[in-house]
Amino acid sequence: MSLRNDVWRAVIRAIEAAVPEYDPVNEKVSLGRAQKTRNYAADQLQLGNEMLTLDAGIGPGTMAEVLLRRTGGLTVVGLDASISLLKAARKRLAETYGNRVHFVRGAFEALPFRETSFRRIVSSYAFRDARDRAAAIDEFSRVSVDDGIFGIVDLGKPNSLLKRSLIEVYVRYLMPLIARRSMSGTITGNPWRMIYPTYQALGSNRELVEALSKRFTEVRIKEFALGGVIFISASKGPV
């Protein structure tokens, strides 16, 4: 459950390149599922006022904006390893949400926060990009309070071999093709081609749940699109 460093760096560069058209193209390549799953996750996170929430892998700020719009008193800490992506998120969010959103550079495998810092943690289409997912799970458990929720929205690898094969063909061939046809001339190359290497490195949905269950006591998964898109809710104690 890990990415090679060279692949990880290439993925970061691809996301940075995709920023100008990140949201509209992702909606096309996900067949309209990306934002719906973010909204579903926001519902399941049971957000409350003055609840400190970590957006792990904030990217250009898409998920953080969903959270901040929903709950007026929510405070979001946006974490990313990329300075460019943090700048993009700040540009998108800071003027509207002011001191309700803060930006921190860091990696999933060594979170720059104290233990039990967050009531809610969410990683939206970013967890699969971790260099070491087992170490990332340890860190997310460390900074989560016992009755908190760690939510993951991401691509999934179905347990069924048939479904997995169908999703893999879509991610490898059709997703980059749809992206290419959806992009305007503002982006050079095709950043969406880098989704497949991260998908290759994923374990199955069952394996991800099992890995989370080593550090969280309650882990539940909801599958969409034949299991190719997932939401996972994990907590260290009863919610």
Side-chain angles (χ1 to χ4, degrees):
M1 293 178 67
S2 61
L3 286 180
R4 298 196 321 265
N5 282 336
D6 60 327
V7 174
W8 180 80
R9 287 192 291 268
V11 168
I12 295 296
R13 291 194 296 269
I15 299 170
E16 291 171 345
V19 165
E21 299 183 48
Y22 182 89
D23 289 343
V25 176
N26 277 338
E27 280 303 294
K28 295 286 182 60
V29 301
S30 70
L31 304 180
R33 174 55 64 184
Q35 194 65 10
K36 287 181 180 178
T37 311
R38 289 189 188 96
N39 291 335
Y40 177 86
D43 289 338
Q44 300 304 307
L45 288 171
Q46 304 171 31
L47 301 169
N49 287 333
E50 300 182 5
M51 184 176 283
L52 187 61
T53 298
L54 174 64
D55 184 353
I58 190 174
T62 308
M63 185 71 205
E65 189 169 39
V66 171
L67 302 178
L68 290 161
R69 280 178 175 174
R70 279 174 173 256
T71 309
L74 190 73
T75 299
V76 171
V77 176
L79 175 95
D80 210 286
S82 165
I83 293 175
S84 295
L85 292 174
L86 288 171
K87 287 180 178 178
R90 183 185 297 275
K91 181 178 179 180
R92 177 176 188 157
L93 301 170
E95 183 175 347
T96 301
Y97 298 104
N99 61 6
R100 292 179 54 209
V101 56
H102 308 276
F103 306 93
V104 177
R105 190 183 187 195
F108 291 178
E109 298 82 1
L111 295 173
F113 309 113
R114 292 175 297 182
E115 293 183 3
T116 63
S117 292
F118 298 98
R119 295 285 307 282
R120 297 292 184 267
I121 302 171
V122 63
S123 182
S124 175
Y125 301 104
F127 182 76
R128 71 178 187 279
D129 299 335
R131 283 172 288 184
D132 185 332
R133 296 189 192 102
I137 290 170
D138 287 346
E139 281 291 274
F140 289 126
S141 173
R142 180 182 67 81
V143 302
S144 173
V145 300
D146 285 347
D147 62 345
I149 300 175
F150 172 33
I152 298 173
V153 180
D154 218 322
L155 299 183
K157 187 169 280 188
N159 302 319
S160 160
L161 290 178
L162 175 59
K163 291 180 180 179
R164 189 183 307 177
S165 297
L166 291 172
I167 299 299
E168 186 161 347
V169 167
Y170 183 79
V171 172
R172 185 173 187 178
Y173 298 107
L174 296 181
M175 192 174 278
L177 178 61
I178 294 170
R180 168 56 60 196
R181 293 184 174 181
S182 302
M183 287 186 295
S184 69
T186 62
I187 297 177
T188 301
N190 188 344
W192 281 266
R193 289 188 180 278
M194 284 308 302
I195 293 177
Y196 182 63
T198 66
Y199 188 79
Q200 276 186 302
L202 275 178
S204 69
N205 293 346
R206 181 184 297 112
E207 289 170 334
L208 179 53
V209 168
E210 290 173 351
L212 286 161
S213 296
K214 293 177 181 178
R215 293 304 304 268
F216 294 89
T217 55
E218 285 194 48
V219 182
R220 299 185 294 271
I221 184 169
K222 175 71 173 178
E223 297 183 335
F224 306 91
L226 301 178
V229 179
I230 58 173
F231 171 70
I232 294 180
S233 172
S235 64
K236 292 190 289 184
V239 178

